Amino acid sequence: MEDKMNNSGSERNTRRELRRQRRMRAQIIAYAITGVLGISVVSGAFFAVNKIVHAIKAYNEQVEETVAEAREVDVEPAAVASPDENAVESEVMSQDTMLDHIVDTCISEMPIEDKVAGLFMISPEQLTGSDAVIKAGNTTQDALSSYAVGGLFYVSKNIKDEAQIKDMLSTTASMSKYPLFLSTVEVGGEKSIVANALSLEAVASPSELGASGNADEAYNTASRVADYLNGYGFNLNIGVNANLSEGGNSFGTDSHMVSSMVAKTVEGLQTFGVSAGLQYFPETINSGNNAEGLADVLAPFKAGIDSGASMIMVCTAPSTGLTGDDTPSCLSPTVIQDVLRGQLGYDGIIITDSLSDIADRYSSADAAVAAIQAGADMIFLPADFMESYQGVLNAVQNGTISEDRINESLKRIYRVKYADRVDEITAE
């Protein structure tokens, strides 16, 4: 009798979990469809009418199912059909599986033009053609409708006051068909872009934290940075320096100490709602060095990876000690695939450093294509965005780069973009 009661309770809990997850999926689908329909109206219906009709139909079916399941939750077990318990358990999705499902669904609906644009993180000036963007208006709307970029990167000239930056970021996010990275580099100390632009009280610089040797203070500092960045609307900080070097932007030269600082900084940022990006992989191993001491150089990046860093920026400097040539690191399969993906086991987002830094050696199109072929997921600040975008799009259309390769990167990008939303819903 006791075993029967325990089995009944387990089955009831499993069924309730299944219903809960179905409701969560319905919420997310409703959010996505609402966003797509809204932007379609504003931007002139980017999606074909039959797709919109299909989306509405799917949404209505999900709503009906959600209402029905909500009513079932309080029904006594005897009034509910009892399928095989193992079959029910197999339907219960883990949070990771649910996230994968959402990401795959999102990507499957994207036209190839949007997929390619989603690999770029550029400045608002590159997007709009303006000299200094401090407001999101019709020009931003039109540009995002034409080029659904994956992210925008803001610097001091884009920030005038608190109300202005909040309004610009929230308006920009609402104009995009897809979730956007709204990013900056906020390292702490006197070189903090946002804090300086808004005359905020400065937090400790990496060098000050490194000198203190207190990793917990690195966490506290990162949490304070995340608090104000999040409050203004930023969701990504590509400002965690994992290099072994001296100076205000670096934690220091001791690999063990820097590793602990990087790990706690990543935790502090991401715990309080801002994705963390490590920089600049693996800059210490440049053309003037060999691969000796590689373990020490890579240790801080591994610490950041183990702490869940959402993104790693690969530098444009060559890593001759690893590659044996002067290929920019962010265009090198050896650096990206063999070391960062293979040796360190990183499966998050890999973004290039600014490709404008190598414009004297590569055209914008060639650099962007080479970066994707090498294994990068996102292109950061190319010298010419339009040329870069068209170069990658042409490469996909002529078969030089497969669409599956583009999808691989988009999955990494959207797993980060949707993770917090899944967390919020599962917490309800």
Side-chain angles (χ1 to χ4, degrees):
M1 176 64 72
E2 183 177 349
D3 289 343
K4 185 175 181 180
M5 290 176 64
N6 288 338
N7 289 338
S8 176
S10 175
E11 179 179 335
R12 183 166 63 252
N13 290 337
T14 302
R15 288 175 59 78
R16 284 179 174 171
E17 174 63 13
L18 178 59
R19 294 189 188 105
R20 185 180 71 87
Q21 292 189 359
R22 284 177 177 168
R23 289 195 299 278
M24 289 188 291
R25 290 198 296 273
Q27 284 180 272
I28 294 170
I29 290 170
Y31 173 86
I33 292 172
T34 301
V36 168
L37 292 178
I39 199 67
S40 295
V41 172
V42 173
S43 63
F46 259 73
F47 293 93
V49 173
N50 63 326
K51 285 191 176 182
I52 295 176
V53 172
H54 174 74
I56 294 173
K57 182 178 179 181
Y59 171 69
N60 288 335
E61 290 174 351
Q62 287 287 350
V63 170
E64 291 174 3
E65 180 183 3
T66 299
V67 172
E69 289 175 346
R71 289 172 177 165
E72 284 183 38
V73 171
D74 294 326
V75 176
E76 291 298 319
V80 180
S82 299
D84 178 76
E85 184 177 16
N86 291 332
V88 175
E89 287 180 343
S90 69
E91 292 184 55
V92 177
M93 301 171 70
S94 70
Q95 191 165 326
D96 277 348
T97 303
M98 185 182 299
L99 180 57
D100 286 336
H101 175 74
I102 294 164
V103 169
D104 289 342
T105 301
C106 176
I107 293 173
S108 70
E109 296 295 322
M110 296 172 70
I112 188 60
E113 292 81 5
D114 286 358
K115 288 183 177 183
V116 170
L119 305 182
F120 285 84
M121 185 179 297
I122 60 176
S123 70
E125 290 76 24
Q126 288 179 306
L127 178 68
T128 62
S130 304
D131 291 333
V133 175
I134 58 172
K135 184 178 180 179
N138 292 336
T139 302
T140 300
Q141 175 68 82
D142 292 344
L144 284 172
S145 296
S146 298
Y147 303 101
V149 295
L152 292 170
F153 179 76
Y154 297 86
V155 294
S156 57
K157 69 179 178 181
N158 304 121
I159 305 170
K160 299 305 177 185
D161 57 56
E162 292 188 346
Q164 170 265 330
I165 188 62
K166 283 183 181 180
D167 179 70
M168 181 170 66
L169 295 184
S170 64
T171 302
T172 300
S174 70
M175 289 176 170
S176 178
K177 287 183 279 188
Y178 313 104
L180 274 172
F181 282 131
L182 300 172
S183 65
T184 191
V185 171
E186 194 76 352
V187 297
E190 63 181 14
K191 295 186 179 180
S192 294
I193 290 174
V194 177
N196 287 347
L198 298 176
S199 299
L200 304 179
E201 181 180 355
V203 299
S205 68
S207 63
E208 291 170 335
L209 291 169
S212 76
N214 187 344
D216 289 336
E217 189 55 33
Y219 176 90
N220 295 335
T221 298
S223 68
R224 290 196 293 273
V225 170
D227 184 56
Y228 68 74
L229 287 183
N230 197 318
Y232 297 131
F234 292 100
N235 55 26
L236 172 64
N237 180 13
I238 322 175
V240 185
N241 192 331
N243 292 138
L244 303 180
S245 60
E246 297 178 350
N249 288 349
S250 304
F251 290 111
T253 58
D254 179 84
S255 180
H256 178 75
M257 183 274 295
V258 173
S259 295
S260 64
M261 293 290 173
V262 167
K264 287 297 185 179
T265 300
V266 169
E267 291 176 16
L269 288 170
Q270 298 198 162
T271 298
F272 292 90
V274 174
S275 294
L278 308 184
Q279 53 174 234
Y280 299 92
F281 188 86
E283 193 167 88
T284 305
I285 312 172
N286 56 34
S287 57
N289 298 91
N290 55 35
E292 293 180 6
L294 179 61
D296 284 344
V297 169
L298 298 183
F301 289 97
K302 185 63 168 68
I305 290 169
D306 291 344
S307 291
S310 297
M311 181 179 289
I312 295 180
M313 177 174 280
V314 179
C315 67
T316 53
S319 297
T320 307
L322 295 175
T323 65
D325 58 34
D326 64 349
T327 301
S329 297
C330 60
L331 307 188
S332 170
T334 299
V335 172
I336 293 177
Q337 298 288 358
D338 296 349
V339 181
L340 188 47
R341 294 277 189 223
Q343 187 172 338
L344 297 187
Y346 185 59
D347 195 36
I349 303 168
I350 294 176
I351 188 170
T352 71
D353 198 353
S354 174
L355 292 188
S356 63
D357 293 343
I358 54 174
D360 59 333
R361 297 181 57 190
Y362 300 85
S363 71
S364 291
D366 288 346
V369 170
I372 300 300
Q373 289 176 318
D377 300 307
M378 297 194 79
I379 306 300
F380 184 64
L381 300 182
D384 187 320
F385 164 60
M386 286 303 303
E387 182 184 330
S388 294
Y389 164 78
Q390 195 61 52
V392 176
L393 181 60
N394 290 344
V396 175
Q397 292 173 334
N398 66 29
T400 301
I401 297 175
S402 71
E403 188 169 353
D404 285 344
R405 171 67 190 85
I406 301 299
N407 291 343
E408 176 187 324
S409 287
L410 286 173
K411 286 180 181 179
R412 294 191 182 102
I413 294 166
Y414 276 87
R415 278 188 62 85
V416 172
K417 289 183 174 181
Y418 277 118
D420 286 346
R421 301 182 187 196
V422 173
D423 287 343
E424 289 172 3
I425 293 172
T426 56
E428 293 180 358

